[in-house]
């Protein structure tokens, strides 16, 4: 019988046993990290040794690691082993500042490929699939990370890379691609490229999309699924934790299983740094358990999410993360109100008259914060009455969600500048003063 699981023993491991495995791996990771000039003195000061770890709660004794630590030790200052054993480096996309460098041994790369292959298997991809990757093959982990994993799965892989939508359209059509890896904003753009060629994406061979790397709402996912007539699965990864392959939805599409054999998961209140009760939102803090070149302890991802309570019907025992609200540094404070871009997206996506691109601009006008939301129309129209009513309705619904009244501007296709990589949703002009 064909298994439902890539690694049934690990994926369905009873929680007690899984915790035991985590403890063993944490001890091993501490031993490795004693070779890190960054961690060694901290461990000494806090009396952290492999033997001092008795339970998973001992994680609370560890120091936090932040993006700033990675920057201040740039490029190799956190490495736990000598560079002769390191075979590759990657860096984050630098969405929120200078990039950071992550090192990998051959074993790290193998484990990473295996975790992402497991993730692909989890959403139903098999060696019979043809997987086309739309991520850039450079420092960004979405390129090579997906490539090696798809090969590990045994699928036929099309390393088409970022950009050039016409070429993607041709490859999908010619090769009969069954699965795509892309960021959600590109899933929309590629669908538009098909439509421009007079091909309905629903009539292509694509049945599965792996979407991730940027926050997106459930409504956005539904849109992508309808556009493509395919299933779109939310996939979470970050360079610091290796890249894609950290957590993925199963076919239930209800939360992303985070592979706990590889990570210790904490959800903490970002201010007090104390754990929040299960089900409540907080900052995701991760400890690597299966990496040797550059293990990270209690890494503050700044991503806001929660653990979904209860068991998953798929049989996997690894905890599920809720859809991300965004990063703590995505939060905008406008007129004293805390707002996340994803709240605005959620409302905009409810309007079928709108396409998927939007841009939020915040500026100071007469000493007051003003927010403008530009949203792209799905179809051009010069019926001003209709446009007026539509923008009124959008303003009203946005106001009930974010509690302030934005200026809503409906714009034609192509007016909102498109970014090469992850979509830029907010233009905060206040910070430039
Ligand atoms: P950068 O931090 O420069 O963007 P990465 O490419 O490592 O570099 O991106 C990791 C970040 O991308 C995560 O911390 C998270 O904010 C975001 N991200 C990744 N996957 C998802 C997802 N499925 N949903 C929401 N956000 C995601
Ligand atoms: Zn599941």
């Amino acid at each position: 019988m064909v298994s439902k699981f890539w690694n049934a023993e690990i994926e369905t491991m009873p929680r007690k046993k899984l915790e035991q495995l985590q403890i063993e791996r944490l001890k091993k990771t501490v031993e490795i990290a004693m070779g890190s000039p960054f961690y060694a003195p901290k461990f000494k000061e806090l009396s952290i040794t492999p033997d001092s770890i008795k339970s998973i709660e001992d994680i609370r004794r560890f120091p936090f690691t932040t993006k700033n630590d990675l920057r201040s030790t740039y490029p190799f200052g956190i490495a736990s082993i000598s560079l002769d054993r390191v075979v590759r480096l990657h860096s984050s996309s630098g969405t929120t500042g200078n990039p950071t460098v992550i090192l990998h041994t051959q074993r790290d790369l193998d484990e990473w490929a295996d975790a992402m292959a497991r993730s692909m298997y989890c959403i139903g991809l098999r060696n019979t699939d043809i997987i086309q990757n739309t991520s850039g093959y450079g420092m960004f982990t979405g390129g090579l990370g997906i490539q090696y994993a798809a090969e590990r799965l045994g699928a036929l892989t099309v390393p088409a890379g970022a950009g050039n939508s016409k070429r993607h359209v041709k490859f999908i059509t010619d090769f009969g691609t069954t699965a795509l890896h892309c960021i959600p904003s590109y899933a929309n753009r590629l669908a538009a490229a098909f439509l421009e060629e007079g091909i309905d994406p629903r009539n292509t061979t694509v049945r599965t999309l792996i979407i991730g790397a940027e926050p997106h709402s459930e409504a956005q996912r539904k849109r992508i699924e309808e556009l493509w007539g395919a299933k779109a699965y939310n996939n979470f990864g970050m360079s610091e934790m290796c890249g894609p392959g950290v957590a993925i939805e199963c076919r239930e599409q209800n939360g992303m299983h985070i592979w706990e054999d590889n990570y210790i998961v904490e959800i903490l209140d970002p201010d007090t740094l104390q754990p929040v009760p299960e089900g409540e939102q907080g900052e995701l803090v991760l400890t690597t358990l299966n990496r040797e070149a550059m293990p990270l302890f209690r890494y503050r991802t700044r991503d806001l999410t929660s653990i979904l309570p209860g068991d998953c019907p798929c049989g996997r025992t690894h905890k599920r993360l809720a859809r991300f609200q965004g990063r703590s540094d995505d939060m905008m404070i406008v007129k004293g109100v805390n707002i996340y871009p994803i709240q605005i997206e959620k409302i905009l996506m409810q309007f079928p008259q709108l396409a998927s691109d939007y841009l939020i601009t915040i500026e100071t006008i007469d000493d007051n914060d003003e927010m403008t939301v530009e949203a792209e129309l799905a179809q051009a129209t010069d019926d001003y009455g209709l446009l007026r009513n539509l923008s009124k309705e959008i303003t009203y619904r946005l106001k009930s969600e974010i509690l302030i009244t934005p200026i809503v501007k409906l714009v034609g296709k192509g007016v909102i500048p498109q970014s090469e990589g992850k979509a830029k949703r907010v233009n905060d002009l206040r910070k430039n003063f």
Side-chain angles (χ1 to χ4, degrees):
M1 200 186 79
V2 184
S3 174
K4 230 175 94 182
F5 305 103
W6 174 255
N7 184 336
E9 190 195 345
I10 291 278
E11 288 170 60
T12 63
M13 192 172 266
R15 299 265 344 150
K16 273 236 138 37
K17 207 168 154 202
L18 189 54
E19 256 183 37
Q20 213 45 54
L21 179 68
Q22 289 185 310
I23 295 168
E24 269 164 42
R25 289 191 172 177
L26 181 59
K27 284 174 184 245
K28 175 89 189 135
T29 306
V30 168
E31 197 183 309
I32 296 170
M34 284 169 127
S36 156
F38 175 78
Y39 283 117
K42 291 182 194 278
F43 286 177
K44 198 157 181 225
E45 196 188 316
L46 295 163
S47 310
I48 295 172
T49 60
D51 286 342
S52 72
I53 296 159
K54 306 283 178 231
S55 82
I56 216 68
E57 269 69 55
D58 279 314
I59 197 66
R60 308 269 302 273
R61 294 168 41 220
F62 282 71
F64 289 101
T65 311
T66 64
K67 208 166 189 113
N68 272 341
D69 293 328
L70 297 189
R71 288 186 180 135
S72 64
T73 55
Y74 176 91
F76 306 138
I78 296 193
S80 288
I81 57 173
S82 62
L83 286 184
D84 56 350
R85 286 189 53 214
V86 175
V87 298
R88 197 196 298 164
L89 69 74
H90 272 287
S91 80
S92 74
S93 16
T95 311
T96 58
N98 286 329
T100 49
V101 163
I102 304 297
L103 305 171
H104 302 266
T105 62
Q106 186 56 53
R107 183 179 180 278
D108 289 337
L109 293 178
D110 291 344
E111 290 295 332
W112 173 19
D114 195 73
M116 188 60 222
R118 185 200 293 177
S119 304
M120 288 172 169
Y121 199 93
C122 172
I123 59 172
L125 298 181
R126 298 292 181 265
N127 60 6
T128 44
D129 275 289
I130 301 178
I131 303 177
Q132 187 160 323
N133 190 10
T134 71
S135 291
Y137 279 71
M139 298 296 246
F140 180 51
T141 53
L144 292 174
I146 292 292
Q147 181 67 30
Y148 282 98
E151 289 174 7
R152 172 70 61 105
L153 181 71
L156 172 55
T157 312
V158 185
N164 203 339
S165 299
K166 273 198 170 11
R167 209 164 60 123
H168 275 292
V169 168
K170 181 171 168 49
F171 287 167
I172 292 170
T173 316
D174 292 353
F175 305 150
T177 301
T178 57
L180 277 179
H181 171 254
C182 47
I183 56 176
S185 47
Y186 193 66
N188 284 310
R189 255 171 238 162
L190 190 53
F194 266 106
L195 292 169
E196 267 165 35
E197 306 262 314
I199 305 169
D200 186 335
R202 284 175 296 193
N203 294 335
T204 66
T205 40
V206 174
R207 285 295 152 266
T208 310
L209 289 102
I210 307 171
I211 52 172
E214 61 182 13
H216 55 289
S217 54
E218 183 63 39
Q220 177 81 270
R221 179 242 291 277
K222 291 247 162 67
R223 249 172 193 243
I224 293 172
E225 290 194 324
E226 269 161 35
L227 264 175
W228 285 91
K231 286 279 177 198
Y233 294 93
N234 193 3
N235 182 39
F236 162 63
M238 67 191 312
S239 318
E240 295 89 324
M241 293 296 123
C242 67
V246 178
I248 194 162
E249 282 178 330
C250 62
R251 297 182 80 169
E252 300 291 325
Q253 293 188 306
N254 183 20
M256 299 179 281
H257 287 286
I258 177 153
W259 302 126
E260 290 181 87
D261 50 323
N262 291 338
Y263 305 98
I264 293 178
V265 187
E266 296 173 273
I267 307 283
L268 306 181
D269 179 318
D271 297 322
T272 64
L273 294 175
Q274 293 305 309
V276 300
E278 199 178 62
E280 270 180 36
Q281 185 169 284
E283 179 178 344
L284 177 69
V285 173
L286 294 174
T287 298
T288 66
L289 293 177
N290 204 10
R291 294 170 52 75
E292 42 180 34
M294 199 170 151
L296 294 176
F297 297 86
R298 303 194 91 190
Y299 185 69
R300 293 191 58 184
T301 67
R302 298 193 284 186
D303 288 317
L304 300 171
T305 181
S306 59
I307 302 269
L308 295 181
D311 297 333
C312 186
C314 78
R316 291 179 181 83
T317 50
H318 299 235
K319 286 178 188 157
R320 288 168 302 159
L321 300 178
R323 186 173 286 287
F324 286 18
Q325 173 82 18
R327 306 186 197 219
S328 49
D329 31 35
D330 283 344
M331 192 181 78
M332 312 170 269
I333 305 182
V334 185
K335 296 183 176 162
V337 184
N338 300 351
I339 303 166
Y340 288 94
I342 206 82
Q343 290 177 278
I344 292 171
E345 176 180 304
K346 196 175 78 185
I347 300 298
L348 297 179
M349 292 305 119
Q350 290 167 2
F351 289 87
Q353 302 94 323
L354 298 181
S356 298
D357 268 333
Y358 63 95
L359 180 67
I360 304 160
T361 305
I362 314 163
E363 53 201 324
T364 313
I365 299 176
D366 296 337
D367 291 334
N368 270 320
D369 292 345
E370 285 298 343
M371 178 191 278
T372 306
V373 177
E374 287 173 275
E376 229 176 58
L377 284 164
Q379 230 130 47
T381 168
D382 46 16
D383 182 339
Y384 290 103
L386 188 143
L387 288 174
R388 212 176 21 248
N389 285 342
L390 180 59
S391 68
K392 244 172 130 178
E393 179 64 21
I394 296 171
T395 311
Y396 172 76
R397 284 215 232 154
L398 281 174
K399 161 106 202 289
S400 18
E401 171 72 29
I402 60 176
L403 309 176
I404 65 161
T405 309
I407 301 163
V408 172
K409 282 193 187 156
L410 301 176
V411 299
K413 269 220 165 352
V415 170
I416 293 172
Q418 303 198 339
S419 41
E420 251 291 298
K422 305 189 185 197
K424 186 171 173 348
R425 304 297 192 192
V426 181
N427 189 12
D428 194 341
L429 300 172
R430 297 173 304 179
K431 285 181 190 153
N432 296 341
F433 290 127

